[in-house]
Amino acid sequence: MKNISIKKNDVVTVEIIDLTYEAYGVCKVDGFTVFVESVLPGEICEIRIERIEKRYAFGKVLNLVKVSPSRVEIKDKVGTRIGTMPLQHMAYDAQLNFKRQLVLDCFNKAFPVDEKLILEAIGMDNPWEYRNKAQIPVRELKGVLETGFFKRNSHDLIPIENYHIQDVEIDKTIIAVRNILREFKIEAYDEQNHTGLIRHIIVRRGQVSGELMIILVTLGEVIPHEREIVERILIEVPKVVSIIQNINSRKTNVIMGHDQKVLLGADVYYDSLLGKNYGISSKSFYQVNTLQTERLYTKAIEFANISKEDVVIDAYCGIGTITLSASDYANHVYGVEIVEDAIDMAQSNAQLNNVENVSFEVGAAEDVMKMWVENGIKANVLIVDPPRKGLAHSFIEASVEVGADRIVYVSCNPITLAKDVREYAKHGYVIQKIQPVDMFPQTTHIETIVLLKKDMTQ
Ligand code: SAH
């Protein structure tokens, strides 16, 4: 190994040459890579070396010597410390360019493409206060129950009242619930000793309907003063339609447990998306940025170019939002999803909107896809929207058999997207366009839609 000349606490002047997908600026000190937060490519800054690992180090900015034209005033330095807004120092149009470049880099690593295929990222008019869901850890600090967020790469809670990227009604609701829990002297969860009661407060808001769902995640089963707390919440947060107690007794970073009780209303709140109404239950996935989801789905459906002759498969369908949005244009849409609860919602959402040309199946997409193929189901269009880990190899194999001539891949992770697209290319599918959509402003996350078409000449 090369001798490392830098030492902890060294102060050096560096030029930032790159920005990682985790929003760290990259610079070199004597050829050794150093990562720095809150800087931009092209900037020259004085940094102090804080931590040295085997192959890289972390530095902290002391002074900006040359400032990037893409730098903007930050909203709140806490947003960088907790990692909720690691790009807040970058102008929004520069964020969009950076994200397009991220997608291009992922493709270049796994499956090089012509840069022209990647369109400009679709951004938000107001890239703030967009999240319709918050999962807020609750801890005790200096004897007081606090809500906030963990410092990046730690479990130290920093109290926060304004999160800047969440719906303001959600921020208000968290404060109201926090105050009520304090009033009734309810204990916060103590992670080290695995004692106490309230682990998380989850708030979800239908941004069109205004309806709120509150989930109290608890370690134990009993919430002292439960009735009074529910009544107080109803007074302070009149738009709440559902309060759920979710019990998570395990030592785990997974937020929600299996068992739960409905404390108010039912396990559902409603929202609208592209003119259809959706019931959403506490354990169902729902895209966190409602406005951009409408743009995302509209683009995905435009790419799919669906007509009344087309049979469509929507794999990883959640509560059926893409399925029902596509149903207006299609002959029939089949949806598949692994969470039973989400499929129950999808069925009732079809009824709620009087949609009859859809059918839903619960199960792993890879298994159900095989079953559909065995049952002779043919589809012209395949839409997939998998979680971050992407598609199972067996899913890709089975889905090729279904005979779609168009595949629309909606992805929240460009790394797995590029690898999966490379697999489809081996089966004769050719990339037509790649459309990044910014669902998560101020963060490095990016949603991407890829249109693939079967090359009929092969
Ligand atoms: N298209 C939906 C959901 C996308 S999120 C929407 O836009 O709202 C991805 C979904 O895939 C989640 O609902 C998750 O529960 C589901 N899922 C995860 N693994 C799966 C698998 N192996 N088979 C089917 N669905 C799966």
Side-chain angles (χ1 to χ4, degrees):
M1 205 175 81
K2 203 170 100 178
N3 273 340
I4 303 171
S5 59
I6 58 169
K7 297 183 301 301
K8 192 172 157 140
N9 291 328
D10 275 359
V11 173
V12 281
T13 300
V14 294
E15 177 171 1
I16 305 302
I17 52 176
D18 203 0
L19 194 60
T20 70
Y21 69 95
E22 284 174 316
Y24 284 105
V26 183
C27 61
K28 298 274 181 184
V29 179
D30 292 340
F32 196 72
T33 302
V34 181
F35 295 116
V36 189
E37 236 171 44
S38 289
V39 290
L40 294 173
E43 292 191 323
I44 295 175
C45 47
E46 198 178 38
I47 61 167
R48 185 173 56 227
I49 305 298
E50 302 244 292
R51 187 152 65 85
I52 304 179
E53 305 278 342
K54 224 168 164 179
R55 299 170 63 184
Y56 49 85
F58 289 92
K60 188 180 158 94
V61 190
L62 303 175
N63 231 328
L64 281 176
V65 180
K66 185 180 158 213
V67 175
S68 163
S70 298
R71 177 174 286 274
V72 290
E73 197 71 38
I74 63 165
K75 282 243 187 215
D76 188 346
K77 63 177 186 301
V78 170
T80 305
R81 282 180 73 200
I82 60 177
T84 52
M85 325 191 267
L87 288 182
Q88 61 168 328
H89 58 293
M90 191 183 222
Y92 190 54
D93 56 347
Q95 288 185 26
L96 294 176
N97 289 337
F98 168 67
K99 292 185 185 194
R100 177 180 176 274
Q101 186 64 41
L102 268 185
V103 175
L104 176 63
D105 292 346
C106 290
F107 272 94
N108 280 340
K109 271 188 198 132
F111 185 60
V113 291
D114 181 352
E115 183 174 345
K116 287 200 287 292
L117 293 175
I118 309 190
L119 307 170
E120 296 291 317
I122 299 175
M124 295 192 80
D125 300 333
N126 172 21
W128 300 100
E129 297 169 355
Y130 56 85
R131 284 187 63 97
N132 62 27
K133 174 182 177 182
Q135 311 196 93
I136 304 301
V138 181
R139 295 291 181 270
E140 187 179 303
L141 291 181
K142 297 188 186 120
V144 182
L145 180 144
E146 295 284 1
T147 49
F149 225 78
F150 296 135
K151 210 166 91 186
R152 222 173 169 187
N153 306 320
S154 89
H155 271 200
D156 301 337
L157 187 103
I158 301 182
I160 294 167
E161 294 201 336
N162 183 347
Y163 293 79
H164 304 287
I165 58 170
Q166 282 167 195
D167 188 319
V168 288
E169 294 302 323
I170 292 184
D171 284 5
K172 282 190 207 157
T173 303
I174 295 160
I175 295 171
V177 174
R178 179 200 70 185
N179 292 347
I180 293 166
L181 294 174
R182 283 179 183 171
E183 199 179 301
F184 286 94
K185 306 216 168 2
I186 302 300
E187 274 185 76
Y189 177 53
D190 175 338
E191 198 171 343
Q192 240 170 10
N193 298 309
H194 199 56
T195 55
L197 187 63
I198 309 287
R199 297 173 68 129
H200 275 83
I201 299 170
I202 302 174
V203 181
R204 300 175 72 156
R205 179 167 188 262
Q207 290 180 308
V208 181
S209 68
E211 290 189 5
L212 283 155
M213 169 185 270
I214 298 173
I215 306 164
L216 299 172
V217 183
T218 60
L219 177 68
E221 290 201 10
V222 180
I223 304 180
H225 307 287
E226 178 196 296
R227 277 296 100 204
E228 291 149 279
I229 289 173
V230 167
E231 276 158 29
R232 287 280 291 126
I233 293 178
L234 251 179
I235 292 169
E236 298 293 330
V237 188
K239 285 283 193 180
V240 68
V241 296
S242 168
I243 303 179
I244 308 284
Q245 178 189 358
N246 176 279
I247 301 157
N248 186 354
S249 54
R250 289 173 306 149
K251 275 192 176 170
T252 169
N253 282 340
V254 176
I255 294 177
M256 285 174 77
H258 179 267
D259 295 336
Q260 49 185 34
K261 292 185 212 167
V262 176
L263 307 184
L264 175 83
D267 183 4
V268 67
Y269 69 104
Y270 288 87
D271 199 22
S272 310
L273 207 57
L274 293 175
K276 292 204 162 52
N277 298 318
Y278 293 94
I280 306 155
S281 65
S282 56
K283 287 190 175 164
S284 304
F285 176 90
Y286 188 63
Q287 300 281 357
V288 299
N289 183 335
T290 313
L291 258 177
Q292 287 301 85
T293 301
E294 293 198 330
R295 289 182 165 156
L296 178 80
Y297 289 0
T298 304
K299 244 323 152 200
I301 290 168
E302 176 196 314
F303 277 14
N305 191 20
I306 305 168
S307 74
K308 276 289 163 195
E309 282 79 59
D310 286 326
V311 173
V312 180
I313 287 177
D314 174 20
Y316 308 84
C317 68
I319 59 167
T321 43
I322 295 181
T323 329
L324 298 188
S325 303
S327 70
D328 291 343
Y329 310 95
N331 180 305
H332 197 90
V333 191
Y334 292 89
V336 54
E337 157 67 45
I338 203 161
V339 175
E340 196 172 346
D341 206 53
I343 285 292
D344 290 345
M345 296 308 311
Q347 309 269 24
S348 59
N349 287 331
Q351 277 176 9
L352 181 68
N353 294 287
N354 300 315
V355 174
E356 287 175 354
N357 59 337
V358 292
S359 20
F360 292 101
E361 204 68 55
V362 65
E366 50 275 29
D367 301 339
V368 172
M369 194 53 115
K370 265 192 216 133
M371 183 193 87
W372 279 336
V373 169
E374 278 160 23
N375 293 350
I377 288 178
K378 291 278 167 208
N380 320 76
V381 178
L382 171 64
I383 302 175
V384 297
D385 183 8
R388 292 189 67 77
K389 69 174 191 282
L391 301 174
H393 183 69
S394 56
F395 176 89
I396 297 182
E397 297 289 312
S399 68
V400 167
E401 300 295 314
V402 88
D405 49 43
R406 283 152 282 161
I407 298 176
V408 175
Y409 193 141
V410 181
S411 161
C412 56
N413 183 353
I415 299 174
T416 51
L417 169 70
K419 287 185 190 148
D420 291 344
V421 165
R422 181 180 62 199
E423 289 304 303
Y424 276 119
K426 288 181 191 156
H427 292 284
Y429 286 94
V430 182
I431 301 182
Q432 309 295 309
K433 3 183 194 184
I434 302 174
Q435 174 68 70
V437 181
D438 190 20
M439 304 276 277
F440 316 99
Q442 319 307 331
T443 81
T444 56
H445 292 288
I446 181 72
E447 197 83 15
T448 313
I449 313 169
V450 174
L451 171 63
L452 297 162
K453 275 194 185 162
K454 182 98 186 169
D455 181 356
M456 295 302 179
T457 60
Q458 280 193 5

